[in-house]
Amino acid sequence: MTRRRLPEWFVLLLPAIIVIAAVVLIPLLFSLYSSFTPYKLTRPSTLWKWVGTYNYEKILSDAKFWAAFGRTVLFLTIVLNLELLFGLGIALMMNKVTWGQRTLRTILMFPMMFSPILVGFQFKFIFNDNIGLVNNVLQSMGFNVALPWLVDAKLAMFSIMFAEIWMSTSVFAILILAGLFAMPRDPLEAAKVDGCTPWQSFRHITLPFLMPFIYIAMTIRSLDVARAYDIVQIMTGGGPARRTELLWTLMSRTGYVDARMGLANAMGYVSILLSILFTIYFFRKLSAARAELGMAG
Amino acid sequence: MQKSNFFKGLMACTAMVAVSESALASEWGSFDGVTIEAKLIGGQQYEGLYGRIADWEAATGAKVDIISKKSHFEIDKEIKSDMAAGTTDWCVGSNHSSFAPQYEGLYTDLNDLVPADVVAEFVQGNIGASTVGGELLMLPRAQFDVSVLYYLKSNYEDADKTAAFKAEYGYDLAVPETWEQVKDQSIFFADPPNFYGTQYAGKDEAIVGRFYEMVVAEGGNYLDETKKPIFNSDAGQRALQWFVDLYEAKAVPAGTTSYVWDDLGQGFASGTVALNLDWPGWAGFFNDPESSKAAGNVGVAVQPMGSVTRTGWSGHHGFSVTNDCANKEAAVSLVNFLTSEDSQLAESAGGSLPTRSAVWEANVAAAKAGDDAFRAEALAAFAEGAKYAFAVPPIPEWGESTNIVFPELQAAIVGDKTVKEALDDAAEAVDELMRESGYY
């Protein structure tokens, strides 16, 4: 009679499985379970009261949640596209630099080194309507105005987008610059010999080659931006009148300030759909871009 | 001979120290070897009192281990996490009258542990606001808050302004007695973007607290006896209209809806705001030339009236003892010590307001006898203002309801909704919260 032994592959993977279960799976299952309860942090006993899909029904019929959802999609779309444009521009210019490029690359990374909370406070001061830098500059230039940067619906969204873009454009720039470094020179030289204009070279050779890098950056940043919290919380707190309310400011207020963790977790699970959709979309685009370059999809 | 006198003196001193120590020890008890874990509110204005903890340690033989010291909002989140995780065996926690009702079952009823004659020495309004469901959940420290009106005196000393105001509004320009007068004067003084008539907190609990006190001042209330929201009454609409009118007239900074206490304090200290309803902690800051451009020009008056009574939203800090504390007797001794007459005299010397009747009297008498006219003026205003003080409704849902209400108040202020629409929407959502919480 031989003792049954676990398969070797399983034994080898076991430590990783245990760690992943402990830090990812169990909290995930716990939060999923709590989204079906009226769990309040200040009333621990509510964790054991099952209310079925009540929280989900409440969210799905809550106009404020869907407004925050829509605003997050808008925020994500505008920020990602602008970061891509600015990042691409910076990377292309940086690629032309022949002296001091390393220093420039380091300087480029500076905004990413700041804590988002610090960036939030910095831009909150810059855009303050009374004592802020922007309005003071405008006033010293002779414009007798005090623009409500953090109050007006459009200006407030612009201000938080500006801060987010300022902090994270360099992610795009660095990844695209890595793509430019990896790019073979031959096709560009052949295009030059064939008489292509710089725009034609960029449009038909450089850009298709960069697309896989762009989509990777898009995927990473879409997950980041969909979780935008720190900067928005510090600058506007989602206000005024919910004009800048994004999913995570709403969720954190529900979960930690109102202590309604069950409801906040249900919001989290609905909003994960957003991240999944963006990730699937960008991965599909990535595969298509790689296939176009003749790489394995 | 000299040597002998020296030794006699030394022995006499030693005996006196021993007597005073034993008196202290008998007053606060003896808890050799006990360690009390505490979670305290941090920040410059609160730290001075903690310096006295060493005296309590010396008197009782116990040790205090401050395991957390954070701003009140941070410590609130931490305590809620502790309650969720069941890690509530620390002993003493900072508390606040607005937060206390949320921590159901966390803190012990001090009525059973503190003698009634000691409780009677506190201002009874503060004791009432520290009591939830008949349980005394904390003993108040000398950090009582009620707002009074700070104003720039120069605006009332200018003959041209006085004449122009009389011509426009038909009554004499004087420090305002009513909120209607505050509105008139704010619009009159405003010269945006260089100078504003007034300002108000524009988000979070801060604006809801201000709205709440205006509703009360207009004769209404936030909730009725059954905890049903009634702030959308006529009184509520008049109260919110006051905020809207000032915003529309540009008498307040455009960014006021994003302001909370620090922004307001800095705004008035910049000398660009004429009238400012604010807390006692700012008095010294406003009149200090190092920190304020308004220094020397600041007047302090009792808070104005609505159509029925004066505003008076108040709150106070205190200390509580957890139910899970292993040595409640020692913990209560520490809380008694930190809220004692000596501790309150020491803490209120920094400018904060006491919560013990005897300390109020001592401070007012000292200010009158002293040579700091501003301090005497401020303290007299706060002593008068405290008579109209009232706390927020003592229910766990107060904080959550403010998160529902404040975006609606903002919506009316910035013009996204009418006053009635905003208040009706807010009342409907608070009504749902109260139903879910099982009040009716």
Side-chain angles (χ1 to χ4, degrees):
Chain A
M1 197 168 113
T2 54
R3 238 178 96 197
R4 267 189 73 189
R5 292 183 59 179
L6 293 167
E8 265 173 36
W9 62 267
F10 183 74
V11 174
L12 288 169
L13 284 175
L14 201 57
I17 290 171
I18 291 170
V19 170
I20 288 173
V23 301
V24 179
L25 201 61
I26 293 172
L28 214 58
L29 289 175
F30 178 76
S31 61
L32 181 64
Y33 162 76
S34 73
S35 72
F36 294 100
T37 69
Y39 182 37
K40 277 200 89 164
L41 288 178
T42 49
R43 288 182 196 159
S45 60
T46 50
L47 182 58
W48 312 114
K49 189 177 170 192
W50 181 265
V51 291
T53 54
Y54 177 79
N55 287 334
Y56 288 93
E57 285 163 26
K58 194 176 163 76
I59 291 164
L60 295 177
S61 60
D62 184 0
K64 288 165 203 148
F65 174 80
W66 288 112
F69 193 94
R71 219 174 278 119
T72 308
V73 174
L74 179 74
F75 183 76
L76 192 62
T77 310
I78 295 177
V79 165
L80 277 186
N81 281 296
L82 288 179
E83 282 186 10
L84 163 65
L85 279 180
F86 294 139
L88 183 63
I90 291 169
L92 289 171
M93 285 192 283
M94 187 89 77
N95 197 36
K96 296 280 180 201
V97 174
T98 52
W99 186 83
Q101 200 192 60
R102 278 186 190 179
T103 314
L104 271 179
R105 281 206 306 262
T106 310
I107 293 171
L108 186 66
M109 304 285 281
F110 277 177
M112 284 170 65
M113 295 174 195
F114 291 110
S115 142
I117 289 182
L118 200 66
V119 175
F121 276 117
Q122 173 188 310
F123 280 98
K124 187 182 179 188
F125 168 69
I126 288 172
F127 287 118
N128 182 294
D129 61 295
N130 195 14
I131 53 168
L133 202 65
V134 180
N135 276 353
N136 272 293
V137 168
L138 288 175
Q139 283 162 16
S140 64
M141 286 164 67
F143 300 99
N144 195 26
V145 291
L147 291 177
W149 291 101
L150 300 175
V151 173
D152 180 84
K154 292 192 178 84
L155 289 177
M157 280 304 274
F158 167 82
S159 304
I160 57 174
M161 283 176 185
F162 189 94
E164 184 72 37
I165 291 167
W166 180 86
M167 193 178 75
S168 300
T169 292
S170 43
V171 176
F172 273 90
I174 294 293
L175 283 169
I176 293 171
L177 194 59
L180 285 170
F181 286 167
M183 191 173 162
R185 312 299 303 166
D186 306 1
L188 283 175
E189 279 160 16
K192 210 172 190 177
V193 171
D194 289 346
C196 288
T197 62
W199 168 248
Q200 285 171 327
S201 298
F202 172 74
R203 172 71 188 82
H204 299 288
I205 299 170
T206 309
L207 196 57
F209 187 84
L210 290 178
M211 284 320 279
F213 294 89
I214 287 173
Y215 284 124
I216 288 171
M218 283 276 198
T219 311
I220 294 170
R221 284 292 299 147
S222 72
L223 293 174
D224 263 356
V225 179
R227 288 176 296 158
Y229 171 69
D230 319 54
I231 288 178
V232 187
Q233 182 61 28
I234 299 293
M235 287 179 69
T236 64
R242 301 193 183 91
R243 285 170 167 182
T244 56
E245 184 90 291
L246 302 184
L247 280 173
W248 280 87
T249 50
L250 179 64
M251 264 186 266
S252 72
R253 194 178 308 119
T254 307
Y256 288 103
V257 182
D258 297 345
R260 303 179 76 165
M261 201 46 95
L263 186 62
N265 279 333
M267 286 181 183
Y269 277 95
V270 175
S271 63
I272 276 177
L273 288 175
L274 183 66
S275 298
I276 292 174
L277 285 177
F278 269 87
T279 307
I280 290 173
Y281 175 74
F282 287 132
F283 269 125
R284 282 196 174 168
K285 287 284 191 188
L286 173 64
S287 300
R290 282 168 62 84
E292 202 174 309
L293 290 175
M295 300 174 183
Chain B
M1 185 69 191
Q2 269 187 340
K3 214 173 190 177
S4 148
N5 279 343
F6 173 76
F7 277 116
K8 277 181 189 164
L10 191 64
M11 284 183 67
C13 282
T14 310
M16 278 170 68
V17 167
V19 167
S20 67
E21 276 193 354
S22 70
L24 259 181
S26 62
E27 190 177 354
W28 305 114
S30 179
F31 306 104
D32 273 328
V34 172
T35 298
I36 295 294
E37 290 187 329
K39 294 198 172 199
L40 303 178
I41 182 173
Q44 199 191 349
Q45 70 199 95
Y46 307 108
E47 300 287 331
L49 179 64
Y50 306 147
R52 287 176 56 81
I53 288 176
D55 296 343
W56 181 81
E57 288 177 330
T60 60
K63 284 272 160 220
V64 177
D65 181 10
I66 300 173
I67 54 176
S68 184
K69 200 194 279 179
K70 294 176 177 166
S71 78
H72 214 97
F73 291 101
E74 290 305 311
I75 216 144
D76 170 60
K77 285 180 193 164
E78 186 175 305
I79 288 171
K80 284 173 181 165
S81 300
D82 280 347
M83 289 175 75
T87 51
T88 51
D89 56 350
W90 41 274
C91 280
V92 172
S94 280
N95 207 342
H96 189 280
S97 51
S98 296
F99 288 74
Q102 296 179 92
Y103 310 130
E104 287 173 85
L106 174 65
Y107 291 125
T108 197
D109 181 5
L110 294 172
N111 280 318
D112 303 333
L113 301 163
V114 179
D117 58 330
V118 173
V119 175
E121 289 167 6
F122 288 86
V123 175
Q124 289 310 294
N126 297 144
I127 291 297
S130 305
T131 304
V132 179
E135 295 186 349
L136 178 61
L137 293 181
M138 61 173 171
L139 279 190
R141 67 188 280 187
Q143 290 288 349
F144 169 64
D145 285 326
V146 65
S147 297
V148 297
L149 191 71
Y150 295 93
Y151 60 93
L152 297 184
K153 289 192 283 193
S154 53
N155 282 322
Y156 300 93
E157 292 159 358
D158 182 332
D160 291 344
K161 273 186 188 169
T162 307
F165 183 85
K166 178 93 186 248
E168 195 172 340
Y169 291 93
Y171 62 94
D172 288 334
L173 179 64
V175 177
E177 259 292 310
T178 68
W179 285 110
E180 272 308 300
Q181 290 173 359
V182 170
K183 185 163 87 179
D184 289 347
Q185 293 186 18
S186 297
I187 294 168
F188 175 75
F189 290 137
D191 178 24
N194 304 312
F195 194 83
Y196 294 97
T198 186
Q199 53 182 357
Y200 46 76
K203 64 177 183 177
D204 300 334
E205 189 207 9
I207 185 176
V208 184
R210 286 287 180 240
F211 167 69
Y212 164 56
E213 65 179 337
M214 290 294 268
V215 175
V216 173
E218 286 296 320
N221 212 332
Y222 193 75
L223 304 172
D224 67 10
E225 298 81 29
T226 62
K227 310 298 180 226
K228 196 175 170 58
I230 51 167
F231 54 73
N232 53 340
S233 60
D234 286 348
Q237 290 178 40
R238 284 199 301 277
L240 181 53
Q241 193 64 49
W242 182 88
F243 292 85
V244 175
D245 289 346
L246 285 169
Y247 192 82
E248 281 179 352
K250 295 186 167 47
V252 293
T256 201
T257 50
S258 64
Y259 291 2
V260 278
W261 310 124
D262 279 357
D263 308 283
L264 299 171
Q266 295 291 352
F268 186 71
S270 72
T272 60
V273 177
L275 299 157
N276 183 42
L277 184 74
D278 222 323
W279 303 104
W282 289 102
F285 183 86
F286 288 154
N287 210 40
D288 179 355
E290 296 271 306
S291 55
S292 169
K293 287 184 185 162
N297 187 25
V298 181
V300 192
V302 66
Q303 67 272 31
M305 284 186 71
S307 57
V308 173
T309 182
R310 290 186 192 277
T311 51
W313 168 38
S314 72
H316 64 268
H317 293 262
F319 297 103
S320 301
V321 174
T322 61
N323 274 316
D324 293 343
C325 174
N327 195 327
K328 280 189 197 155
E329 201 188 341
V332 169
S333 164
L334 175 62
V335 169
N336 271 326
F337 177 82
L338 291 173
T339 58
S340 66
E341 198 167 320
D342 284 347
S343 290
Q344 292 221 357
L345 279 168
E347 188 167 26
S348 59
S352 64
L353 301 183
T355 52
R356 279 176 168 270
S357 310
V359 182
W360 263 113
E361 286 161 17
N363 283 353
V364 171
K368 274 184 189 162
D371 56 2
D372 186 345
F374 176 76
R375 166 94 175 130
E377 181 187 350
L379 207 56
F382 280 109
E384 182 64 16
K387 292 177 186 164
Y388 305 96
F390 49 86
V392 298
I395 52 167
E397 290 77 14
W398 161 253
E400 194 172 345
S401 83
T402 64
N403 282 331
I404 292 170
V405 174
F406 90 78
E408 300 296 344
L409 301 181
Q410 289 179 328
I413 290 167
V414 298
D416 288 357
K417 290 182 181 179
T418 66
V419 163
K420 184 162 172 32
E421 281 167 0
L423 289 179
D424 284 347
D425 288 351
E428 191 183 330
V430 174
D431 183 57
E432 189 185 342
L433 169 70
M434 294 302 170
R435 277 178 203 283
E436 281 180 5
S437 304
Y439 285 104
Y440 44 85

